[in-house]
Amino acid sequence: MRISKIHIKNYRLLEDFVLSPDKNSDFMLCIGRNNVGKTSVLTILDECLNNEMKGVAFDDITLKQRNQLIEVLDEYCSGAKSKEDTCLLLSTVAPELSITIDYSDPASDLSLIPMLSLDDTSQTVTIQLKKL
């Protein structure tokens, strides 16, 4: 069993980021310039796995989404947007993490996955977390 994909949306500089570790390697090294998101990947993983995303705040939303959120809230407060439209936008700008786990390896310990798909043709499960 291994993580085959990490997908992060709307978190700090990571507007729509996908990390797909090499399936032939047991080691991954992330290298990059300053302010490209290396620490953000680790921070959101830590927030989701250890803190139930309680530490994620308004400042963690991407700047683009923050500006869009402020516009829609202004429109809602002025009566130009309905509550339903505002709630819909809130769900689209929320920071989101999806982790896809591949359990196609016959030696995988499936007891570590809390819930598996009943579709026996699928060999992955995706866990999706969103901070609203």
Side-chain angles (χ1 to χ4, degrees), residues 56-105:
V56 176
F58 179 75
D59 290 338
D60 291 320
I61 299 172
T62 62
L63 278 175
K64 177 182 172 184
Q65 300 295 5
R66 244 187 279 174
N67 292 334
Q68 188 178 6
L69 179 60
I70 290 169
E71 284 177 24
V72 169
L73 289 175
D74 283 343
E75 291 174 359
Y76 173 71
C77 289
S78 69
K81 281 258 190 233
S82 70
K83 182 178 179 180
E84 292 78 20
D85 290 341
T86 305
C87 289
L88 181 62
L89 178 71
L90 286 174
S91 70
T92 63
V93 301
E96 183 178 328
L97 170 69
S98 297
I99 301 172
T100 302
I101 301 171
D102 181 342
Y103 55 92
S104 60
D105 179 5

Side-chain angles (χ1 to χ4, degrees), residues 1-8 17-25 28 45 97-105 108 113 122-127:
M1 173 171 37
R2 65 184 306 114
I3 294 175
S4 60
K5 182 169 81 170
I6 297 172
H7 186 197
I8 301 169
F17 174 79
V18 176
L19 178 64
S20 299
D22 183 358
K23 66 179 179 180
N24 298 317
S25 177
M28 180 173 39
L45 284 170
L97 170 69
S98 297
I99 301 172
T100 302
I101 301 171
D102 181 342
Y103 55 92
S104 60
D105 179 5
S108 295
I113 301 178
S122 175
Q123 295 185 335
T124 62
V125 64
T126 300
I127 301 164

Side-chain angles (χ1 to χ4, degrees), residues 11-16 34-37 40 60-63:
Y11 186 73
R12 298 184 180 172
L13 294 175
L14 306 173
E15 192 170 310
D16 192 7
N34 290 341
N35 295 320
V36 295
S40 294
D60 291 320
I61 299 172
T62 62
L63 278 175

